[in-house]
């Protein structure tokens, strides 16, 4: 979400005649698009903003702007202006579409601008984007905000309530991207499964959107993130299974494998329900790639409760696990809980969890030998033609020349030292 919003900010700058530079020394404008999901990220941003003070001293015309989730949080924008008085423009998450206006106004008046909206005001379609084009992937927002209020999470406070983009706007954007040659279209939302919940017409939901986009003409694949387990239905799983252009890749964050912790996290599902979903996904898509997010050290999490999470990782055998140490976020329910877990315990738990998940991923890579996968050609290398699977795995296709940015079906032949090798399947 943050990366895609940076593409929008960059697009606005390009429309004003700016070009991108990799070296801050040459910059005329520096925008910090901040994330505040965990404390470590917050700290890093503060350090980076501080480091630009010298640049600004050497080049007073340099414009420094700070926006994103960190500045949106209660009282944070005031803190940024106090701590870094040299920052010129500060805005939040709800008004990024106004960045261009703020920049022009500042350049004209030389006055500092601080404008953080308290609440979201609908959806503002942004047309200008400087897309990164990394592996031909284009991000497309489908819904903004979040209504779930997981007790540890800052997102609902800094992103506002859930609101869905109209299917028409999404379809126009996706068609344009396909015409421009993008091969992967990744639909973005904090909870894509609740797409359309805010529409009067209840027939427009995420399953409908996926089905409609799957029918568009062109050589492309659809991806999406993130799916909340409480809203993943059998109907939707069937649509994903049946869509020939839909990646069989589901990121399904469980957060914890213990029911008491899940309840206190306000996740609204149990481990049993979650395991049923995994069975259902595998029933319709035996080779689906499934990944998850985990939080260790949530307030009050005991060793036994943590072991339930470790157990679920061993049961599901994920293809990818993103594990985080619980981080206190001001204003959230969990931050007020008294039984916070100490940092050493969190570190120990994340370490043990990642050991288990790494060894499972390694075994799963070995099990891929003999399987067929959809890949996109990236570049020629010494190890063979580098390709990427729908789920982001790097696979080297041997003894063949491929066309970059084209899709192929390959068969995995061997796995060595963390590298996967394949050959083209017959008929390709
Ligand atoms: N909407 C997505 C998550 C977005 S945040 C979803 O519900 O799946 C991405 C991940 O960051 C979350 O899945 C969670 O694992 C992690 N996260 C969020 N808040 C956190 C916190 N306070 N401490 C540690 N990890 C956190
Ligand atoms: Fe945060 Fe939960 Fe919303 Fe995801 S669903 S953004 S974890 S509150």
């Amino acid at each position: 979400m943050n990366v895609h919003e940076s593409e929008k900010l960059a697009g606005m700058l390009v429309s004003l005649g700016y070009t991108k530079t990799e070296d801050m020394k040459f910059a005329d404008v520096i925008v910090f698009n901040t994330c505040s999901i965990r404390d470590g990220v917050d700290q890093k941003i503060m350090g980076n903003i501080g480091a630009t003070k010298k640049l600004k001293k050497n080049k007073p015309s340099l414009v420094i702007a700070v926006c994103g989730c960190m500045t949106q949080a209660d009282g944070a924008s005031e803190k940024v202006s106090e701590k870094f008085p040299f920052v010129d423009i500060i805005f939040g998450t709800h008004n990024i579409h106004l960045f261009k206006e703020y920049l022009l106004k500042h350049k004209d008046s030389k006055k500092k601008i601080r404008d953080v909206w308290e609440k979201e005001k609908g959806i503002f379609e942004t047309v200008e984007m400087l897309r990164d084009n990394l592996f031909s992937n284009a991000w497309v927002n489908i819904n903004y905000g979040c209504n779930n209020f997981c007790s540890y999470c800052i997102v609902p406070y800094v992103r506002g309530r859930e609101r869905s983009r109209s299917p028409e706007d999404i379809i126009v954007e996706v068609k344009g991207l396909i015409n421009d040659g993008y091969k992967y279209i990744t639909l973005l939302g904090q909870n894509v499964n609740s797409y359309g919940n805010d529409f009067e017409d209840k027939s427009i939901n995420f399953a409908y959107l996926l089905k409609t986009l799957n029918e568009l003409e062109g050589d492309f694949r659809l991806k999406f993130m993130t799916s909340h387990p409480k809203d993943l239905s059998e109907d939707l799983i069937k649509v994903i299974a049946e869509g020939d252009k839909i990646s069989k890749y589901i990121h399904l964050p469980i957060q914890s494998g213990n029911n008491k912790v899940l309840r206190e996290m306000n996740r609204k599902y149990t481990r049993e329900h979650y395991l049923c979903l995994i069975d259902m996904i595998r029933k319709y898509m035996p080779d689906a790639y499934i990944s998850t997010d985990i939080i260790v050290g949530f307030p009050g999490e005991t060793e036994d409760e943590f072991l339930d999470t470790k157990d679920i990782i061993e049961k599901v055998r994920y293809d990818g696990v993103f594990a985080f140490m619980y981080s206190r976020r001001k204003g959230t329910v969990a931050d007020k809980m008294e039984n916070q877990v100490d940092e050493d315990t969190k570190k120990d738990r994340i370490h043990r969890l990642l050991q288990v998940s790494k060894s499972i991923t390694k075994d799963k890579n070995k099990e891929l030998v003999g399987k067929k996968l959809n890949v996109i050609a990236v570049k020629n290398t010494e190890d063979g033609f580098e390709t990427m699977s729908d789920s982001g795995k790097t696979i080297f296709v041997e003894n063949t020349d491929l066309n970059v940015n084209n899709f192929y079906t390959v068969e995995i032949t061997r796995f060595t030292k963390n590298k996967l090798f394949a050959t083209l399947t017959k008929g390709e």
Side-chain angles (χ1 to χ4, degrees):
M1 202 71 87
N2 177 279
V3 167
H4 184 40
E5 277 168 1
S6 294
E7 292 180 335
K8 294 181 183 176
L9 294 162
M12 289 185 233
L13 287 170
V14 167
S15 77
L16 290 173
Y18 290 93
T19 52
K20 199 171 165 178
T21 171
E22 299 298 329
D23 190 340
M24 289 220 287
K25 277 203 300 292
F26 301 122
D28 296 309
V29 180
I30 298 174
V31 188
F32 289 94
N33 183 20
T34 62
C35 169
S36 59
I37 195 80
R38 282 171 292 275
D39 191 41
V41 196
D42 259 19
Q43 300 295 340
K44 202 168 143 198
I45 297 161
M46 289 299 203
N48 287 346
I49 301 174
T52 56
K53 187 176 177 182
K54 222 168 128 197
L55 288 175
K56 177 99 177 168
K57 213 171 160 196
N58 294 339
K59 185 178 181 181
S61 65
L62 171 66
V63 179
I64 296 177
V66 185
C67 62
C69 288
M70 192 188 82
T71 49
Q72 184 65 47
D74 238 3
S77 67
E78 289 86 345
K79 222 165 94 188
V80 173
S81 359
E82 266 166 40
K83 202 163 175 203
F84 308 110
F86 55 88
V87 168
D88 302 292
I89 307 171
I90 299 175
F91 53 105
T93 55
H94 305 314
N95 51 343
I96 73 161
H97 60 288
L98 294 178
F99 169 54
K100 203 160 132 176
E101 220 169 274
Y102 296 143
L103 181 61
L104 293 173
K105 219 159 139 186
H106 168 75
K107 292 204 65 122
D108 202 38
S109 67
K110 299 282 170 291
K111 283 202 180 114
K112 305 261 178 225
I113 295 175
R114 195 171 79 207
D115 190 14
V116 178
W117 293 2
E118 221 169 272
K119 260 181 78 125
E120 69 281 6
K121 297 182 192 164
I123 289 179
F124 299 93
E125 289 294 323
T126 343
V127 278
E128 288 144 346
M129 287 180 211
L130 180 66
R131 293 191 184 265
D132 211 347
N133 201 357
L134 192 66
F135 302 121
S136 229
N137 176 66
W139 310 103
V140 174
N141 292 116
I142 64 162
N143 51 359
Y144 298 93
C146 182
N147 289 357
N148 293 317
F149 288 93
C150 301
S151 62
Y152 50 81
C153 184
I154 193 78
V155 170
Y157 302 91
V158 292
R159 291 278 170 179
R161 296 294 67 73
E162 234 167 55
R163 53 228 185 262
S164 308
R165 270 180 90 193
S166 81
E168 294 79 18
D169 284 337
I170 296 171
I171 293 165
V172 167
E173 185 176 353
V174 172
K175 275 186 177 165
L177 292 167
I178 300 166
N179 279 339
D180 288 347
Y182 285 93
K183 297 290 178 167
Y184 282 107
I185 309 287
T186 306
L187 308 175
L188 285 179
Q190 292 301 343
N191 176 10
V192 288
N193 300 342
S194 61
Y195 174 77
N197 279 359
D198 49 332
F199 292 154
E200 253 169 50
D201 182 349
K202 293 298 166 211
S203 66
I204 302 176
N205 55 21
F206 186 52
Y208 163 87
L209 184 70
L210 272 184
K211 249 197 261 179
T212 312
L213 295 175
N214 184 64
E215 279 156 22
L216 294 181
E217 293 277 311
D219 186 29
F220 68 96
R221 310 238 343 133
L222 286 166
K223 296 207 227 181
F224 51 88
M225 65 198 280
T226 299
S227 281
H228 194 304
K230 81 176 167 57
D231 301 309
L232 182 62
S233 65
E234 184 160 10
D235 276 352
L236 180 56
I237 293 174
K238 278 192 208 163
V239 168
I240 299 168
E242 285 160 13
D244 58 331
K245 290 172 180 159
I246 305 175
S247 289
K248 311 303 172 224
Y249 169 25
I250 303 187
H251 181 59
L252 198 63
I254 183 162
Q255 314 296 2
S256 164
N258 175 270
N259 283 339
K260 183 189 130 245
V261 177
L262 283 173
R263 209 166 41 245
E264 287 181 5
M265 285 179 163
N266 194 28
R267 288 292 287 180
K268 300 196 177 81
Y269 53 81
T270 58
R271 71 181 262 135
E272 292 75 20
H273 176 73
Y274 185 93
L275 287 171
C276 282
L277 288 176
I278 298 289
D279 284 346
M280 210 187 282
I281 295 171
R282 293 201 166 130
K283 178 174 126 195
Y284 291 104
M285 296 172 270
D287 291 330
Y289 180 100
I290 306 174
S291 60
T292 200
D293 288 347
I294 302 276
I295 295 178
V296 298
F298 181 79
E301 182 190 67
T302 63
E303 172 66 14
D304 280 350
E305 288 161 1
F306 163 71
L307 290 177
D308 280 345
T309 302
K310 197 165 148 269
D311 174 67
I312 218 144
I313 288 186
E314 284 160 347
K315 279 207 167 71
V316 176
R317 302 188 72 238
Y318 290 103
D319 300 276
V321 172
F322 301 90
F324 309 103
M325 289 190 283
Y326 166 72
S327 165
R328 294 177 81 155
R329 303 283 72 197
K330 231 172 102 199
T332 60
V333 171
D335 183 44
K336 295 180 196 89
M337 294 179 179
E338 276 167 12
N339 40 5
Q340 301 285 331
V341 173
D342 64 87
E343 291 304 302
D344 285 346
T345 307
K346 285 185 207 170
K347 276 189 199 145
D348 171 61
R349 288 182 187 166
I350 201 163
H351 178 71
R352 281 150 67 203
L353 202 80
L354 288 175
Q355 260 182 338
V356 176
S357 80
K358 264 191 203 150
S359 108
I360 293 173
T361 314
K362 218 168 167 180
D363 288 349
K364 291 209 81 165
N365 274 341
K366 279 185 209 151
E367 289 161 24
L368 276 177
V369 174
K371 293 238 160 83
K372 289 190 176 122
L373 288 184
N374 182 73
V375 298
I376 190 164
V378 179
K379 62 174 184 285
N380 211 348
T381 72
E382 274 179 7
D383 290 311
F385 215 101
E386 185 183 322
T387 67
M388 189 186 70
S389 72
D390 280 2
S391 61
K393 266 188 203 301
T394 300
I395 294 161
F396 296 95
V397 184
E398 295 180 291
N399 307 321
T400 184
D401 216 12
L402 306 179
N403 291 319
V404 173
N405 264 350
N406 276 32
F407 287 119
Y408 295 92
T409 310
V410 299
E411 186 173 327
I412 308 293
T413 48
R414 60 196 181 96
F415 170 76
T416 56
K417 280 193 203 148
N418 298 326
K419 276 187 186 157
L420 281 164
F421 293 89
T423 52
L424 273 191
T425 54
K426 286 195 185 73
E428 284 286 336

